[in-house]
Structures are given as structure tokens and as C-alpha cells.
């Protein structure tokens, strides 16, 4: 049974501190290829940059199970130079522009430090301070003499921190998934052929997963991702009854999201595996957002798909908070559920 210890947390730290905004996933891909060496039967990098790694099982009738985790993160791209180390930029993926002002960033492959500068309170009027600042008035400032190239990606400059049972960092979406899939490959269940895919370009519409699912044509697929937890108590101290997922309740199994209706047989199978193995899990409340499953389930002649995510607060912002035990339980639930998969599942009633 794989588990989360110091080595896995170190790996997650390395993955979170990497800069891999959509379309420029090389830094994370290098870590993945290094980590999975010797744990696969076949590895290749496809035309878009997806890592396709196969670990064959030993059972007689084996399902071919695609498990995907996207390597990319939301962030920024430099698009024009104003001189003096100052650059205009665009957002890549879902980023709330209101939250950018005053944040430090890392730019490009060398993680060149910069800041999305803010005019200080001394230089603004009371009227201006009521409004958020639009993207076209923001710049990434590398300081005088700072140099970057147009097209360089940037992320929030947030270093991974551990604090007791919690961790704080950037890009938990989806380095949680990447680290989980690496551990699954290292502990691949022998009853299935594990088709592990570390995908590109999920945050801009699941593009890498689309071509990978077409190429692999699996019997079924699981997208491993991470999802926002909107679980803060209400300001009046009352319980927040409207939470979609909650820290501490374990992996979030999706019934539906903005892009996919999960295969009901897979939902039941994962819940039953959690019950049997006493692994906590929660059902993510239906709503917006999506995962690689949104593309995978529509590939070929249709591929039964499910998403399972690690919950964390403040997704796609400069700093997220998560519980290590939710991650550990996500890995456990995935391993237990995959280990119990047989071809009979796909012949059972959908319900
Ligand atoms: Zn994601």
C-alpha cells in the first residue's frame, strides 16, 4: 500500500516550487521522467508534451485504465516589453485579476524574481482604492536591468511550506495529482494495465488529455486533480452549510462538474472501495469547474470516466492551504479502488 511520508512530501514540494504554466510544462515533465524511471514498461513524450507511461499488470483479463494528472498550472505570460525590466502580461488559465496586485512572481526557466507592482496608498485617492485595477494597467516588474523573453511564463512566487498537518503553497492544482500518479506508478496494482498520463494544457481547456485519450483508447479513465474547498465558517460563526468540499473529509469523488457527468458505476465502485477499506471520502457538490475527464470521456467511442480530487482552499490564487491527510487518503482510495477493478464493472448495470 503506497503512503505519504517525508520523501513524498519532499517530491510534492519540488513539484509545487517548479514553474510550469500551460504550454510550458518542461520543468515538471523533467521531474516526472526522472521519478518514474525504472517503474514503467514503456514511456514516451507525445507531440504536445504529454508523458505517457505504461505499467502492465499480470492478471489474465485486465482492464486498460488511464489515470491522468495535469502537469500545468494557471499563471501568466509576458507579451510586451516596456523597458527598464517592465513587462506587460496576459493571464493563462483561470486567474482572478483582482488578486494580482502587489504579488511577487517568478518569471521564466530561471525563476527570475519580479513583482506585479502596486501604487502605494500614499499615491492613490480614496475613490481609486474602491476599485480593482484592470489587467491592462498591471505590469510585471523585474527591477532595473531585469531581463526576460516575450512568451516567458510566470507564476506566483510562493515557496512550499509545511505547518504541522497542513501545507501552504502554490500550484497544488495539480501537483497533488502529479505526485499521486507518480506514487501509483511506483506501486502499480497488478490486476490492471496502468496507463499513466501526465498531461499538458488542462488549465486552458483539457487539450493534452484529449489527444492522450485518443492515442491510448483505454477501457476507462480516472482524472486525479485537486479542487477548491469553500469551507470557511460563516462570518457570524455559524457553520458554512454551502461548502462544496471540506478539508479533512478526504478525497472528493465527482458526481458531476462543468464538463463531465461521472460514470455512475465508477462512482459506486470508488465509494464501495472507500467503505470496504475504511478510507474517508466525500462527494464533491456538483458545480462548475472541470478536469481532464471533460475531454477523456468524449474521446473515441466514449470512455467511462471519473474525477477524484484533493480538496484545498484558495485554488488558483497566490497561496493555497491543504491537509496532508486528505492527500494521503486520496492516494489510498485510488490505490484501493484500482486494485479492486475487474472487467465485470463495465458489464454491470449503469443504474
Ligand atoms: Zn486542475
Amino acid at each position: 500500500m503506497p503512503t505519504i511520508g517525508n520523501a513524498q512530501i519532499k517530491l510534492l514540494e519540488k513539484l509545487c516550487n517548479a514553474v510550469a504554466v500551460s504550454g510550458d510544462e518542461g520543468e515538471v515533465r523533467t521531474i516526472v521522467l526522472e521519478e518514474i524511471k525504472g517503474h514503467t514498461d514503456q514511456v514516451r513524450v507525445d507531440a504536445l508534451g504529454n508523458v505517457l507511461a505504461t505499467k502492465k499488470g499480470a492478471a489474465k483479463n485486465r482492464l486498460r485504465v488511464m489515470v491522468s494528472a495535469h502537469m500545468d498550472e494557471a499563471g501568466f505570460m509576458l507579451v510586451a516589453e516596456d523597458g527598464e525590466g517592465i513587462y506587460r502580461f496576459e493571464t493563462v488559465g483561470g486567474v482572478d485579476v483582482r488578486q494580482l496586485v502587489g504579488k511577487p512572481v517568478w518569471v521564466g526557466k530561471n525563476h527570475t524574481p519580479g513583482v506585479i507592482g502596486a501604487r502605494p496608498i500614499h499615491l492613490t485617492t480614496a475613490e481609486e482604492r474602491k476599485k480593482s485595477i484592470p489587467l491592462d494597467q498591471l505590469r510585471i516588474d523585474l527591477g532595473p536591468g531585469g531581463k526576460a523573453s516575450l512568451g516567458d511564463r510566470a507564476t506566483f512566487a510562493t515557496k512550499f511550506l509545511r505547518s504541522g498537518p497542513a501545507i501552504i503553497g502554490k500550484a497544488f492544482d495539480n501537483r497533488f495529482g502529479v505526485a499521486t500518479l507518480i506514487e501509483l506508478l511506483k506501486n502499480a496494482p497488478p490486476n490492471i494495465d496502468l496507463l499513466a498520463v501526465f498531461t499538458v494544457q488542462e488549465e486552458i481547456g483539457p487539450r493534452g488529455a484529449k489527444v492522450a485519450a485518443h492515442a491510448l483508447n483505454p477501457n476507462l479513465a480516472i482524472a486525479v486533480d485537486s479542487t477548491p474547498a469553500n469551507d470557511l465558517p460563516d462570518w457570524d460563526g455559524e457553520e458554512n452549510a454551502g461548502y462544496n468540499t471540506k478539508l479533512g473529509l478526504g478525497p472528493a469523488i465527482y458526481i458531476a462538474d462543468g464538463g463531465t457527468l461521472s460514470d455512475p458505476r465508477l462512482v459506486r465502485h470508488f465509494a464501495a472501495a472507500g467503505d470496504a477499506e475504511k478510507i474517508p471520502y466525500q462527494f464533491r457538490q456538483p458545480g462548475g469547474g472541470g478536469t481532464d475527464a471533460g475531454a477523456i470521456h468524449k474521446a473515441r467511442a466514449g470512455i467511462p470516466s471519473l474525477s477524484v480530487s484533493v480538496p484545498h482552499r484558495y485554488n488558483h490564487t497566490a497561496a493555497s492551504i491543504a491537509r496532508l491527510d486528505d492527500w494521503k487518503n486520496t492516494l489510498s482510495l485510488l490505490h484501493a479502488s484500482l486494485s479492486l477493478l475487474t472487467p465485470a464493472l463495465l458489464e454491470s448495470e449503469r443504474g
Side-chain angles (χ1 to χ4, degrees), residues 70 173-174 202-203 225-226:
H70 69 86
D173 180 5
N174 183 30
E202 190 270 352
E203 295 290 358
D225 213 313
S226 59

Side-chain angles (χ1 to χ4, degrees), residues 63-69 181 184 192-197 199 209-210 212-214 216-225 253-254 260-267 269-270 291-300 302-308 334 337-338 341 345-346:
L63 288 170
R64 301 176 69 253
V65 181
M66 173 173 171
V67 182
S68 81
L181 188 49
L184 284 173
I192 58 168
D193 286 347
L194 177 58
L195 315 174
V197 185
T199 61
K210 183 179 176 182
H214 181 89
L216 295 172
N217 195 18
N219 298 119
L220 61 93
I222 313 296
V224 186
D225 213 313
I253 299 174
Y254 289 44
T260 318
L261 299 172
S262 299
D263 186 281
R265 295 164 297 190
L266 287 171
V267 173
H269 177 78
F270 271 65
T291 71
D292 275 342
I296 298 168
H297 82 283
K298 293 188 287 191
R300 296 279 184 159
I303 295 165
S305 300
L306 175 73
S307 300
V308 177
L334 282 159
S337 303
L338 294 176
L341 270 179
L345 182 84
L346 296 182

Side-chain angles (χ1 to χ4, degrees), residues 155-180:
T155 65
F156 296 114
T158 309
K159 275 206 171 127
F160 183 96
L161 297 169
R162 184 171 175 186
S163 182
I167 51 174
I168 301 173
K170 74 161 183 70
F172 289 173
D173 180 5
N174 183 30
R175 306 300 150 66
F176 265 140
V178 171
T180 305

Side-chain angles (χ1 to χ4, degrees), residues 65-82:
V65 181
M66 173 173 171
V67 182
S68 81
H70 69 86
M71 296 186 286
D72 61 318
E73 67 192 292
F76 319 103
M77 187 186 345
L78 305 192
V79 294
E81 188 175 358
D82 283 355

Side-chain angles (χ1 to χ4, degrees), residues 5-223:
N6 281 335
Q8 289 75 22
I9 297 169
K10 274 265 158 255
L11 171 62
L12 180 65
E13 173 172 6
K14 200 161 131 187
L15 288 165
C16 288
N17 288 347
V19 174
V21 177
S22 310
D24 192 17
E25 294 87 355
E27 198 175 332
V28 166
R29 186 168 42 243
T30 301
I31 298 171
V32 167
L33 290 171
E34 187 58 41
E35 282 291 325
I36 66 176
K37 216 180 260 174
H39 297 282
T40 63
D41 296 310
Q42 200 197 19
V43 184
R44 65 192 163 94
V45 177
D46 74 7
L48 293 194
N50 294 307
V51 177
L52 277 56
T54 306
K55 181 74 192 169
K56 276 204 176 342
K60 228 180 174 179
N61 287 318
R62 304 190 301 271
L63 288 170
R64 301 176 69 253
V65 181
M66 173 173 171
V67 182
S68 81
H70 69 86
M71 296 186 286
D72 61 318
E73 67 192 292
F76 319 103
M77 187 186 345
L78 305 192
V79 294
E81 188 175 358
D82 283 355
E84 304 279 321
I86 297 168
Y87 291 85
R88 296 172 195 234
F89 65 100
E90 295 283 352
T91 55
V92 180
V95 182
D96 184 345
V97 173
R98 294 173 308 162
Q99 299 171 349
L100 305 187
V101 180
K103 300 292 195 301
V105 293
W106 289 322
V107 179
K109 300 211 181 331
N110 298 323
H111 297 197
T112 306
V115 65
I116 302 175
R119 244 186 321 139
I121 190 165
H122 319 66
L123 303 176
T124 55
T125 65
E127 203 45 47
E128 283 173 323
R129 289 198 294 273
K130 285 185 196 153
K131 296 183 192 128
S132 59
I133 304 171
L135 187 61
D136 60 10
Q137 288 176 30
L138 295 172
R139 300 288 184 272
I140 287 178
D141 187 347
L142 304 179
K147 256 310 204 192
S149 301
L150 300 186
D152 274 358
R153 309 298 203 278
T155 65
F156 296 114
T158 309
K159 275 206 171 127
F160 183 96
L161 297 169
R162 184 171 175 186
S163 182
I167 51 174
I168 301 173
K170 74 161 183 70
F172 289 173
D173 180 5
N174 183 30
R175 306 300 150 66
F176 265 140
V178 171
T180 305
L181 188 49
I182 289 170
E183 293 307 314
L184 284 173
L185 259 180
K186 290 179 176 173
N187 301 273
N191 55 307
I192 58 168
D193 286 347
L194 177 58
L195 315 174
V197 185
F198 300 87
T199 61
V200 297
Q201 301 185 32
E202 190 270 352
E203 295 290 358
I204 50 174
R207 301 180 189 182
K210 183 179 176 182
V211 300
H214 181 89
L216 295 172
N217 195 18
N219 298 119
L220 61 93
I222 313 296

